[in-house]
Amino acid sequence: YVPVRGRECSSQQMPFIKEKFTTYNDFANANMEDIYGEKLKDSYSNEATEFNSILLLNKGNNKFEKITLPNQAQLFPTLAISLFDLNNDGFEDCVISGNIYETEVETPRLDAISGLALISNGKDGYTPATMQKTGLYLKGNVKSMESLKFNDHTLLIVGFNNDKLRTFELTKN
C-alpha cells in the first residue's frame, strides 16, 4: 500500500514526514511501512468497497434495496438529494446536486455537473433527464437542497456555500 495523499498534504498534517523524507522523490518511492513504521501494525484500518452514488430504498423490516445511480450521477459528489414527483407520473423522481470547491491543494475542485434530475422508471431505476428538458442548472458550490410544494408547483430551494438561497421551478415535461 501507498498513501493517497502526497508529501505536501501529508506533511501539513504530520510534520515528521517532511523531516523523514526530504525530497518528493523519496516520499513517492516509500510504502506505508517506510513512512509510518511499526506503529502501522497497531493502527485502525478500514476498507471501502463501494464508491458509486446509490439510493437505499427502505423496504421495511430492516431491509433495504440498493439502487446504483446512472453513470451521469457518478461524475460529481452527491451532497444533496430531493425526492418528489417531477413529471406527475405517480413515482418519486430525484434531483441530486453537490460540488466541492474547497479541496486540498493536490485535489482539483469537484464540479463536473450542476445538478441532475433522475426520472424514476417506476420499478428499479432512474434515467437522467437533460438540462434542456428540466431547466435544471445549479451553477455554484451546492451544499443543500429541499423541495417545497407551493400551490400547484414544486419549488427547489438550493443552498450554496457562502451564498444566498436560491429557488428554482423545474419544467415538467
Side-chain angles (χ1 to χ4, degrees), residues 9 12 26 30 49 78 88 102 146 157 160 172-173:
C9 287
Q12 287 174 358
D26 289 345
T49 58
T78 299
N88 292 320
E102 54 285 332
E146 290 292 334
I157 301 169
F160 294 82
K172 294 184 179 187
N173 289 329

Side-chain angles (χ1 to χ4, degrees), residues 11-85:
S11 63
Q12 287 174 358
Q13 300 300 315
M14 297 168 280
F16 76 89
I17 289 175
K18 197 178 258 185
E19 296 165 12
K20 189 172 183 179
F21 299 95
T22 56
T23 69
Y24 288 94
N25 187 53
D26 289 345
F27 184 81
N29 289 306
N31 62 34
M32 296 291 280
E33 194 167 310
D34 294 336
I35 298 168
Y36 302 107
E38 290 293 316
K39 291 181 180 180
L40 190 61
K41 292 177 183 167
D42 297 326
S43 67
Y44 173 77
S45 176
N46 209 338
E47 186 174 308
T49 58
E50 179 69 68
F51 288 98
N52 288 313
S53 290
I54 62 171
L55 283 180
L56 294 173
L57 298 180
N58 189 346
K59 297 297 195 174
N61 295 326
N62 293 322
K63 303 275 187 225
F64 290 85
E65 177 184 353
K66 179 177 102 172
I67 297 176
T68 301
L69 296 179
N71 287 338
Q72 291 91 326
Q74 309 303 329
L75 299 175
F76 61 99
T78 299
L79 301 178
I81 185 166
S82 185
L83 299 169
F84 58 95
D85 186 3

